[in-house]
Amino acid sequence: MSGQDQRLQPVLVTGANRGIGAAIATGLARLGHPVAVGARRISDADDLIRSMPAQSMSVALDITDASSVRAAVDDVVEHFGRIGILVNNAGGHYDLNARASEVDDAEALDALEINLLGAWRMMREAIPHMRAQQWGRIVNVSSRAGSFAESERNAPAYSVSKAALNMLTVQIAAELRDSGILVNACCPGWVRTNMGGPEADLSPADGADTPIWLATLPDDGPSGGFFAERTESPW
Ligand SMILES: NC(=O)c1ccc[n+]([C@@H]2O[C@H](COP(=O)([O-])OP(=O)(O)OC[C@H]3O[C@@H](n4cnc5c(N)ncnc54)[C@H](OP(=O)(O)O)[C@@H]3O)[C@@H](O)[C@H]2O)c1
């Protein structure tokens, strides 16, 4: 695939209506990518794309619903002709200050449903399209909370689900080795969003920097890694 084709690769960003996802979508659109803004409420995505280039599209997407995921990927492929870049940004269930020993099944399942299975469903639907063109970039927006080396152990269900997402990244990257599809996880840092709160040190645009860098890696870029501030970080 020529460099020009790669620059034009369409992107789908999940949870792109606000926070870090909106900054990733906006940043990639500024670089010239056709961007699909995924949001549970399509009206939220419509609000964002009004400020983005005309080639942007909004797509209804609830990552906890397999039929919504399938329909969203189909919509993007129908609209743009392909999907080259997937940013699994949507996340939730940040159970700050919960006690690991007291998390009940419903809470644990809710965290896994959003942070692990949501990304898994997205990859299941998008990867066949990337395989068909032998080119793709997948970015799993994870967290240092899911790193065995760095987790501060204060958001148990969230951290476990992000650790699982990290392992899923390793598994999918290994499966896709030499396929032209690069798969990486990252931590955006502590970012001022609904999740990060007003005291966080980074703006959403700062938090979007490493995900955007991973989404636009050259063909000889890394795969199967975990990154923060554009630097490999310990799992
Ligand atoms: N902020 C931080 O400091 C920080 C640190 C480390 C990692 N992260 C990670 O960065 C990513 C973005 O976080 P953020 O801070 O931007 O969070 P946020 O402001 O709370 O935004 C979360 C986004 O995910 C969407 N979402 C939640 N559940 C969804 C579902 N079932 N289907 C589709 N979309 C769904 C939300 O949509 P609605 O608007 O519909 O709710 C929203 O767009 C997350 O994966 C988070 O774990 C954040």
Side-chain angles (χ1 to χ4, degrees), residues 15 17-18 20 40 61-63 89 142 158 162 189 191 193:
N17 51 296
R18 60 184 167 94
I20 300 166
R40 286 195 277 199
L61 173 58
D62 181 345
I63 60 167
N89 164 79
S142 183
Y158 177 82
K162 291 294 194 181
V191 183
T193 62

Side-chain angles (χ1 to χ4, degrees), residues 14 63-64 88-95 107-123 139-143 145-146 155-169 185 195:
T14 71
I63 60 167
T64 64
N88 280 317
N89 164 79
H93 201 104
Y94 186 53
D95 55 339
E107 290 166 332
L109 285 169
D110 186 56
L112 289 167
E113 182 63 53
I114 298 169
N115 297 323
L116 173 67
L117 295 177
W120 210 330
R121 287 183 192 100
M122 292 300 307
M123 289 192 275
V139 183
N140 291 326
V141 181
S142 183
S143 171
Y158 177 82
S159 301
V160 168
S161 67
K162 291 294 194 181
L165 176 61
N166 289 354
M167 177 53 79
L168 178 61
T169 304
M195 182 182 287

